[in-house]
Amino acid sequence: MRAEAAPIERELLGPSLADFRESYTLPGVAYTSPELFAWEMKHFFDDTWTCLGRVDGLIAPGTRRAVRAGQGSILLTRDEAGSLRAFFNICRHRGHELLPVGASAQGALIECPYHGWSYRIDGSLKSAPHLGYRPGFQVSEHGLVPVRVEEWEGWLFANVSGDAGPLHEHVGNLAAYMEAWAPHEMLEVSRIETSRFVLHQEPCEAVELVEAARRSLRRLGADADVDAHVEPSLPLVADRERIERALTAMVLRARILGPVTIDGRRAAGQAVIRVEWSGDPLHDSTHALEPRWEAPPSQRQGLGMALMIGRRAAELHGGTLRAEARAFVLELPLRSRVPGRSGNKEGRVLVVDDDEPIARMMAELLAEHGFEADWAGGGRAALAKIKSDPPDVIVLDLRMPDLDGRALLAAVRALGLAPHVVLFSADREVAAAARELACEAFVEKPFAPESLLEAVRRAQGAEHVT
C-alpha cells in the first residue's frame, strides 16, 4: 500500500533537505499547519510503534501507570503473572479517564473515579455499581480496550492502531549496535551509584528462583551441562527479577570454567545456593565479582558487571554473594517460620482469597506495615500452608469456590490450631458470619487499607474465643 504523502509542498522542504552544513530548519508551516499536525499524529504515533519510556516502576505485579501516546493516553499494567498489558485509559461506561497521565498506582483493581466501575489488572470488568439489571448486558464484553504493547531492552513500545508490523522489524538491527554497551547493566549500575537501586520483594521459594534462572539460561542456549538440586521449602522474601539475574550471571560465569551444578539447601537460617564447577579454580576469588572490563567478550557477560550487581542485590536482601575457588555462593535470609512476634515485626499473617491479585495486594500492604505477610489463592492452597507453618492471623475470604471460608476454618480448628481470624467479604452478612464463626474481627468489601490494618491488629490483640 502506497504511503500517504505529507500535506506540505515538497519545494518548501528543499532547503531543509540540503546537504549537511547547507541545510536550514523546517519552514514555518511545518509548525503551524493543523493538517500537517494531524498527519504527523497518525503516521508518527498512531500507525507505528511509539516509545513510552522505561519499564522501571512497572516491575511488581499490580502496578500501573498512565502515559501520553499521541493525542490520547494509555494505561500500562503488570498483571499477577508478571505480563505487561496496555489499555486505552478510558472507562467503558462514560469514557472517563481512569488514571491521570503521568500518575502511577498499585493494587489489584482499577477503579473509575466517576461511577466506580472496577476492572481487574488484566482489563476485564469486575463490577459495574448502580447499573442494575440490563437485558443483554454481558460483563465479559465490557473490559478495557487493549493496546498492542511490547518490551524491548527495558523500553516500552505501543502501537495504538494495531496495524504496525512486528516490533523487531521496527527497531531493525539497533539491538546489535547496543549489545556491546549492555544498556541494562549500565542502568543497574547507575541505580546503585545514585542510591536508586530499589528492591521489589515478595514471598517466594528458592527453587522457583533457580528454575526461573534455568529458563533464562535455556533462552540463551546456555543450559547444557547444568544440573540443579535444591531443597524444597526454602521460603524467601525476594526481588525475583534481581535474584534470577544474579543466579543466571553466576552460572554463565561458572560455565566458562567447566560443567556446572546448582546446589540449594538450608543452613543457619539462610538459603545457601552454590553454583559449583568441576574445572579449573578461580585464580583470584577475592576479586572475582568485580567488573571485568578488560576481559575478552567470550569470557564475560555484557560489560562484565552482572556479578557485581548481583552482589549488591544480595546485600540489600540482607544476604551475601561471594566467590570461592570453585563456586559462587549466594546466601539469602529465610523467611521466618516461627509464629508470633519477633524483632520489629507485627506478627505472621496469611491472606486467603481466590482473587489472587487481591490476596497479593493485601499481603503487600500488611508487609509494608511491619507484618510478615503471605497469601494463598484459595482454601486448599491456604490449608497446605497453614499445616506446614501456622500463622498468627488469617485474613479469610468468606466465599471461595474450592474450599470456602467456613470449611477452611473448620479444617484448621480440627487440626488443633487456633489462629486469630479476620473475616472479609462483600456479603452484607459478614458481621453475623464473623460472630457465628467466632472470628475476632471482620472487614466488609470494598475496604480502606486503614480498616484492614486496624482489623488485623485488633484480632491479633484479642483473646481467643473458646
Side-chain angles (χ1 to χ4, degrees):
M1 182 175 66
R2 186 173 181 178
E4 177 189 352
I8 184 172
E9 297 179 14
R10 186 171 181 81
E11 54 267 24
L12 294 177
L13 298 175
S16 304
L17 298 174
D19 292 338
F20 182 63
R21 297 185 186 281
E22 297 178 3
S23 59
Y24 290 84
T25 187
L26 290 167
V29 67
Y31 301 94
T32 60
S33 167
E35 293 78 16
L36 186 57
F37 176 73
W39 182 91
E40 290 176 338
M41 296 302 291
K42 173 177 171 57
H43 291 275
F44 294 163
F45 292 97
D46 293 346
D47 290 352
T48 188
W49 289 98
T50 302
C51 183
L52 304 178
R54 294 291 301 177
V55 72
D56 302 53
L58 277 172
I59 301 299
T63 53
R64 55 189 180 274
R65 182 168 74 224
V67 296
R68 180 69 61 192
Q71 298 184 79
S73 65
I74 292 174
L75 184 66
L76 299 163
T77 74
R78 181 76 66 176
D79 68 18
E80 61 272 17
S83 300
L84 178 70
R85 296 175 181 267
F87 308 94
F88 287 106
N89 186 30
I90 54 174
C91 179
R92 293 294 303 278
H93 184 210
R94 298 297 188 206
H96 196 281
E97 184 179 65
L98 294 167
L99 191 67
V101 171
S104 297
Q106 172 84 34
L109 293 179
I110 303 164
E111 184 171 305
C112 177
Y114 192 15
H115 291 107
W117 279 35
S118 62
Y119 304 84
R120 297 180 182 87
I121 206 74
D122 65 1
S124 60
L125 178 63
K126 185 177 190 298
S127 65
H130 315 301
L131 186 64
Y133 175 70
R134 292 289 187 275
F137 181 84
Q138 297 292 327
V139 170
S140 60
E141 297 175 358
H142 290 77
L144 299 178
V145 179
V147 176
R148 286 179 72 191
V149 65
E150 289 192 33
E151 295 180 46
W152 181 82
E153 297 291 337
W155 297 92
L156 299 172
F157 286 82
N159 170 223
V160 174
S161 69
D163 297 330
L167 179 62
H168 69 84
E169 294 181 1
H170 179 77
V171 297
N173 61 353
L174 183 59
Y177 282 105
M178 295 177 60
E179 184 176 6
W181 301 99
H184 179 78
E185 287 185 32
M186 295 180 69
L187 185 61
E188 288 284 73
V189 171
S190 171
R191 291 179 180 131
I192 292 173
E193 292 178 345
T194 58
S195 300
R196 293 186 293 111
F197 194 85
V198 179
L199 300 179
H200 301 279
Q201 295 175 276
E202 60 181 290
C204 56
E205 292 282 341
V207 67
E208 296 173 1
L209 303 181
V210 171
E211 287 305 311
R214 295 188 74 183
R215 287 193 293 272
S216 295
L217 292 165
R218 198 169 299 123
R219 288 193 294 270
L220 296 170
D223 59 327
D225 300 323
V226 178
D227 293 323
H229 308 281
V230 181
E231 284 185 15
S233 192
L234 295 178
L236 306 170
V237 178
D239 185 320
R240 289 175 180 265
E241 186 175 358
R242 259 55 179 272
I243 298 303
E244 174 195 333
R245 288 178 183 159
L247 290 167
T248 302
M250 292 160 66
V251 174
L252 288 174
R253 178 71 183 282
R255 288 186 78 251
I256 297 172
L257 301 168
V260 173
T261 298
I262 304 174
D263 178 81
R265 62 187 62 198
R266 179 189 303 259
Q270 303 277 313
V272 181
I273 304 175
R274 298 177 61 86
V275 175
E276 303 173 323
W277 61 92
S278 56
D280 295 334
L282 291 171
H283 296 300
D284 182 7
S285 60
T286 304
H287 298 94
L289 305 183
E290 298 301 321
R292 308 187 73 216
W293 305 95
E294 76 292 345
S298 61
Q299 298 180 21
R300 59 176 166 85
Q301 311 140 240
L303 298 180
M305 298 184 289
L307 286 174
M308 181 269 285
I309 296 168
R311 179 172 61 185
R312 181 56 180 153
E315 291 169 351
L316 288 175
H317 280 81
T320 61
L321 173 57
R322 67 178 187 276
E324 298 179 353
R326 285 188 171 85
F328 294 113
V329 185
L330 174 65
E331 296 188 1
L332 297 172
L334 290 168
R335 193 166 78 238
S336 173
R337 309 294 284 181
V338 181
R341 297 172 182 264
S342 61
N344 62 348
K345 293 290 184 182
E346 291 273 10
R348 294 198 62 252
V349 181
L350 178 66
V351 179
V352 186
D353 193 335
D354 61 303
D355 191 333
E356 294 188 1
I358 291 266
R360 185 195 296 267
M361 177 194 69
M362 294 169 69
E364 290 175 351
L365 171 69
L366 291 166
E368 289 172 1
H369 288 80
F371 291 93
E372 184 185 338
D374 197 359
W375 62 274
R380 298 191 189 283
L383 187 58
K385 289 194 173 189
I386 293 167
K387 286 179 178 178
S388 65
D389 189 9
D392 301 316
V393 179
I394 301 175
V395 178
L396 180 61
D397 188 10
L398 183 60
R399 301 191 181 280
M400 296 181 290
D402 65 337
L403 187 69
D404 69 14
R406 284 183 171 84
L408 174 61
L409 195 52
V412 170
R413 289 170 175 169
L415 295 171
L417 301 174
H420 298 289
V421 180
V422 175
L423 199 65
F424 73 101
S425 176
D427 192 326
R428 293 182 179 178
E429 302 301 321
V430 64
R435 290 192 296 270
E436 172 197 340
L437 298 172
C439 301
E440 285 80 5
F442 68 89
V443 178
E444 185 174 345
K445 294 181 182 179
F447 57 86
E450 296 78 14
S451 299
L452 175 64
L453 292 168
E454 180 185 353
V456 172
R457 288 173 178 143
R458 185 167 66 250
Q460 189 178 41
E463 294 293 331
H464 280 295
V465 178
T466 57

